[in-house]
Amino acid sequence: MSVVVPPESIVEVELALQGMTCGACAARIEKTLNGIDGVEAAVNYATESAMVAFDGTSVEQSTLIKAVVDAGYGAHVVDDNPYDDDLDARLRQARTRLVFSVVLSIPVVALSMVMPWQFSGWQWWAMALSLPVATWGAWPFHKTAFKNARHGATTMDTLISVGVIAATLWSIWALVWGNALDETMVHDGLTMTHAGTGHVYFEVGATVTAFILLGRYLEMKAKNTAGDALRSLLAMGAKYATVLRDGEEVSIPASVVREGDILVVRPGEKIAADGVVEEGSSSIDASMITGESVPVDVSVGDNVTSATVNQNGRLLVKATRVGGETTFARMAKLVRDAQATKAPVQKVADKVSAIFVPVVFAISAVTVVAWLLIDGDMEKAFTAAVAVLIIACPCALGLATPTALMVGSGRAAQMGIVIKGIDVLQSTRRIDTVILDKTGTVTTGAMTLANIVCAEGVTRESALRYAAAVEKGSEHPIARAIVSAAEAELGELPKLDEFEAMPGVGAAGRIGGVIVLVGREEMFTNRLVIIPASLKEALATARADGQTAVLISWDGRANAVVCVADQPKPTSAEAIASLKLMGLAPVLLTGDNKTTAEAIAVSVGIDTDEHHLYAGVMPADKVAVVKDLQERGYAVAMVGDGVNDAAALAQADVGIAMGGGTDVAMQASDLTIVNGDLRSVPDAILLSRATLRTIRTNVFWAFAYNVAAIPLAASGRLNPMWAGLAMASSSVFVVANSLRLRRVKLAR
């Protein structure tokens, strides 16, 4: 009987892994961790990390690390920057080993393959030059193979190690006890034929080692490049913060900032936590979070985000979210989590890799037996068997998905797009309908002053001044829009002597001796206030244009109509045009009345028929709209930003949350548009689809390479040296193909 683990006891941790050299290593570690009761792990070969979820009541972190170490690898819990490791040192070490092996391998190959250069006793020189390569140069392969052999396991390095050792030992035996000194050789393309017996294969051990070291080095550099976007993202976080403690400014590590701390942020400094401006005003460079280069002006009461840069004025910021709870940290975690996921096709590849090595050994053994039965030539049998061991290494399988995800999600992160996982990529391929929530998604989500229509003899200035003076006492969005516009145009507003709020209809106030009313038409009708025909016409026009209109009266008559509206974002029309070009059908979903909804739809290019416009939809009914479209056979993406969108985002085939929205919406979504720009939605879909295509291409190539190469090697048509080059090249190809995602064409 399975034990249900309470969600509150689940602990998630990321482990940095050492010693992995191929996809089989990753599969072995993953199998080891998942073999522990209460543990679920996903190992990423490309990032050399493992995302582990476990029952904190029965499993400790030390248990996980010990299991990995016992399996022959190294592990430690990562800090906030999982890529802040000794990568440069490992690259230097790999380069040194590569250069050493190449320099010694060149004369070995020359002596072995160029007949005019073969002087008497050249085989001894070949042995002397190749032995350091086959031992020290190939030591990483031997070391890994030995570690795994102790635990009864095999990896791709086992194939390489056995192949190099076999070729070298055979050659030493032929030289010392055989008749290799009497051997001559004729090179014929990819194969070699021999006159006599006892040929030496020192060039095989040396060149295979050199080629595979070259492949590993290029692979390491390419993986490093693939993760550059995320590393640069993580590096953007603030390292230190200046806080006020007992009235004194103290510099502390950003990681120890506490909620409620007052941060002192000077020009040029990064903000160390999400917070609210308590004092000062400035412009904030938020490009690393939003992808937008235009600075954002902030003042007292405005929210600011961690990792953004203060450009000019001194700010005092009260920390509201710190550490892993900041917007920046959550964004980075989402990207890292996405890179740890696996496509269904990659899961198949992992299973194949796990059993591949024993199968290859069996094929190699069968190759030896078959050649001996068919030809009786031990050297041909040996050569073909070694070629099988070397060519079969499916390292490319282990790189197929992780490298593509690293590059794709890394580029997305630079654009202000967070892709949560591989399932999202699968789903975006099927999308044909995109539902767009109106408020905060297509529109700005904030009311702004659109127009003022005045009765005869009334000035715009007086109407705006009276309206704003009364509305200053209200917190209604319409009131805030009027006040904001008035303060920008007129400056200081008249003092309000009395104020009365009338919820649902308007407000009243006294300014000096003047009674001012601001509100809906019905309030004035009920009070028998005269409304001129011109203002009635203005009210009707505003409604037709999707605007919200209020009347203003003083001296006993209506004097003006003030129109406010939630305006479409400047980029919404362009984004919707891009969706249409992609063959996707945009659908507008809103709780507003049909007139307002139609006006917004027309302004951004969405059709207003019943299939593309849903107006007057209550929050609880948004899920029903998504379900209805799905039941009719459509694959639906839902784009929203509010709490009322969360359920619909979760129901949709792909949920896309606008980053300026609520945490609930972001958690329920599959994609997050951090910059809030609707144009990023088609970009996110295009990039997701391109990433999925790249993964499939990578996996196909990796499988096709092995299917084609193994029979070629077993038939004796591929020399082990060229087999090593081909094997190394396959991994480099997969990584290089993934790197193409950095240049994939998007909607803008």
Side-chain angles (χ1 to χ4, degrees):
M1 182 179 75
S2 61
V3 179
V4 177
V5 180
E8 59 270 17
S9 67
I10 298 295
V11 179
E12 292 185 352
V13 69
E14 185 173 3
L15 300 179
L17 305 173
Q18 298 89 37
M20 290 196 301
T21 57
C22 64
C25 297
R28 173 167 171 74
I29 296 174
E30 187 169 288
K31 182 179 180 180
T32 299
L33 289 172
N34 287 324
I36 304 172
D37 289 338
V39 174
E40 184 174 343
V43 175
N44 189 327
Y45 170 49
T47 60
E48 299 181 335
S49 63
M51 303 298 297
V52 188
F54 59 95
D55 179 8
T57 61
S58 59
V59 180
E60 297 181 354
Q61 291 183 6
S62 58
T63 305
L64 306 175
I65 294 173
K66 184 177 184 300
V68 175
V69 172
D70 290 343
Y73 304 91
H76 66 267
V77 179
V78 302
D79 53 19
D80 292 334
N81 184 357
Y83 297 104
D84 186 17
D85 53 18
D86 60 345
L87 181 61
D88 290 338
R90 290 192 291 119
L91 277 171
R92 286 194 301 271
Q93 187 181 52
R95 185 167 57 247
T96 300
R97 197 179 298 271
L98 170 62
V99 171
F100 173 86
S101 300
V102 169
V103 169
L104 293 184
S105 295
I106 291 174
V108 176
V109 174
L111 288 172
S112 302
M113 302 183 68
V114 184
M115 292 180 61
W117 293 2
Q118 293 179 348
F119 52 86
S120 178
W122 65 268
Q123 295 93 336
W124 293 104
W125 283 94
M127 183 181 74
L129 292 169
S130 66
L131 278 178
V133 179
T135 52
W136 185 79
W139 179 247
F141 315 135
H142 303 323
K143 181 181 178 182
T144 303
F146 176 74
K147 281 184 176 180
N148 284 282
R150 289 173 52 197
H151 300 281
T154 56
T155 68
M156 306 311 154
D157 279 3
T158 306
L159 297 177
I160 300 167
S161 178
V162 170
V164 171
I165 291 173
T168 302
L169 291 181
W170 172 280
S171 301
I172 293 174
W173 181 89
L175 179 58
V176 177
W177 293 282
N179 60 346
L181 290 174
D182 300 326
E183 179 78 4
T184 59
M185 178 278 296
V186 179
H187 181 247
D188 181 21
L190 297 178
T191 63
M192 290 187 293
T193 59
H194 316 286
T197 58
H199 182 72
V200 295
Y201 287 96
F202 290 120
E203 79 281 3
V204 171
T207 55
V208 165
T209 298
F211 282 144
I212 295 176
L213 285 175
L214 174 62
R216 292 279 173 90
Y217 177 72
L218 294 176
E219 178 187 307
M220 191 182 298
K221 287 197 69 174
K223 288 196 296 183
N224 182 45
T225 302
D228 278 347
L230 182 54
R231 274 189 295 274
S232 62
L233 174 69
L234 295 169
M236 290 177 180
K239 300 297 187 291
Y240 296 93
T242 302
V243 300
L244 290 178
R245 296 279 170 83
D246 299 325
E248 299 289 331
E249 295 185 6
V250 181
S251 180
I252 62 174
S255 58
V256 300
V257 172
R258 301 191 298 263
E259 186 177 337
D261 276 344
I262 302 298
L263 309 178
V264 181
V265 189
R266 297 181 176 84
E269 293 181 345
K270 294 179 180 179
I271 301 174
D274 292 358
V276 179
V277 178
E278 295 279 298
E279 182 181 309
S281 60
S282 182
S283 296
I284 299 295
D285 179 4
S287 57
M288 69 287 295
I289 298 294
T290 66
E292 298 294 328
S293 58
V294 179
V296 179
D297 294 330
V298 297
S299 58
V300 175
D302 290 333
N303 295 316
V304 292
T305 304
S306 62
T308 56
V309 181
N310 181 23
Q311 291 194 320
N312 34 63
R314 180 177 181 269
L315 296 176
L316 295 184
V317 176
K318 183 178 181 180
T320 56
R321 287 178 173 173
V322 299
E325 297 301 314
T326 64
T327 300
F328 175 77
R330 287 183 293 140
M331 178 179 171
K333 185 177 186 303
L334 286 173
V335 176
R336 294 206 302 269
D337 289 349
Q339 293 183 348
T341 61
K342 296 181 179 181
V345 67
Q346 182 64 31
K347 293 177 181 177
V348 174
D350 289 345
K351 291 179 180 179
V352 171
S353 295
I355 62 172
F356 197 82
V357 177
V359 172
V360 171
F361 275 121
I363 294 173
S364 181
V366 170
T367 299
V368 171
V369 174
W371 270 101
L372 290 176
L373 292 174
I374 296 171
D375 190 271
D377 189 330
M378 184 62 187
E379 289 192 23
K380 288 183 179 180
F382 171 78
T383 303
V386 172
V388 168
L389 291 175
I390 293 169
I391 198 74
C393 182
C395 295
L397 284 178
L399 296 169
T401 293
T403 53
L405 272 177
M406 287 178 68
V407 179
S409 60
R411 183 178 180 190
Q414 289 182 320
M415 299 168 59
I417 302 167
V418 177
I419 304 172
K420 282 193 177 180
I422 191 70
D423 292 338
V424 179
L425 307 183
Q426 299 275 56
S427 300
T428 57
R429 181 176 59 87
R430 302 182 293 106
I431 293 300
D432 54 29
T433 303
V434 181
I435 298 177
L436 303 163
D437 175 61
K438 180 183 77 71
T439 306
T441 301
V442 175
T443 66
T444 62
M447 290 288 187
T448 57
L449 182 66
N451 192 21
I452 298 177
V453 180
C454 300
E456 186 177 354
V458 179
T459 64
R460 171 187 170 93
E461 180 181 342
S462 60
L464 184 58
R465 189 178 298 278
Y466 276 132
V470 173
E471 294 286 49
K472 195 171 183 179
S474 173
E475 292 297 320
H476 195 277
I478 295 175
R480 290 199 297 268
I482 295 172
V483 173
S484 178
E487 288 178 338
E489 289 187 28
L490 308 175
E492 189 174 352
L493 299 176
K495 184 179 178 181
L496 192 65
D497 296 318
E498 293 181 13
F499 174 78
E500 180 187 0
M502 291 167 276
V505 293
R510 183 170 64 83
I511 305 169
V514 180
I515 303 296
V516 181
L517 299 178
V518 182
R520 294 182 176 181
E521 183 179 1
E522 53 262 38
M523 181 177 76
F524 293 84
T525 303
N526 294 337
R527 294 178 179 234
L528 303 178
V529 176
I530 299 172
I531 304 174
S534 61
L535 298 187
K536 287 186 176 182
E537 184 179 345
L539 288 170
T541 302
R543 295 190 190 102
D545 291 340
Q547 299 173 346
T548 300
V550 294
L551 284 161
I552 310 166
S553 75
W554 64 88
D555 295 333
R557 64 186 291 266
N559 291 303
V561 171
V562 177
C563 306
V564 298
D566 181 10
Q567 301 287 354
K569 295 178 180 178
T571 58
S572 291
E574 182 183 344
I576 288 162
S578 296
L579 291 173
K580 288 182 174 180
L581 285 173
M582 294 166 59
L584 305 177
V587 176
L588 188 64
L589 183 66
T590 178
D592 282 346
N593 62 76
K594 188 173 182 180
T595 302
T596 300
E598 286 180 343
I600 295 296
V602 170
S603 69
V604 297
I606 297 177
D607 296 338
T608 57
D609 59 77
E610 61 181 1
H611 301 296
H612 296 87
L613 177 62
Y614 292 83
V617 179
M618 301 301 292
D621 298 329
K622 291 185 177 182
V623 175
V625 173
V626 176
K627 284 183 178 179
D628 178 62
L629 288 170
Q630 290 173 325
E631 289 171 357
R632 286 191 278 154
Y634 296 102
V636 179
M638 171 72 192
V639 186
D641 72 323
V643 173
N644 59 354
D645 299 322
L649 289 169
Q651 173 65 36
D653 298 280
V654 176
I656 304 175
M658 306 303 284
T662 64
D663 290 345
V664 176
M666 293 174 69
Q667 289 297 323
S669 66
D670 303 302
L671 289 166
T672 299
I673 309 299
V674 180
N675 57 22
D677 189 338
L678 197 60
R679 293 177 299 178
S680 294
V681 171
D683 283 344
I685 294 174
L686 285 171
L687 186 56
S688 296
R689 290 177 173 180
T691 303
L692 183 62
R693 285 196 304 271
T694 300
I695 290 172
R696 289 182 167 174
T697 302
N698 287 349
V699 173
F700 171 80
W701 167 258
F703 273 122
Y705 158 80
N706 282 289
V707 169
I710 292 177
L712 195 65
S715 65
R717 295 180 177 155
L718 193 61
N719 184 272
M721 180 178 64
W722 299 113
L725 177 61
M727 190 276 286
S729 299
S730 68
S731 294
V732 175
F733 170 84
V734 165
V735 177
N737 188 49
S738 297
L739 291 173
R740 292 172 59 243
L741 285 168
R742 296 186 298 176
R743 299 184 301 274
V744 68
K745 186 177 180 181
L746 301 177
R748 59 184 174 99

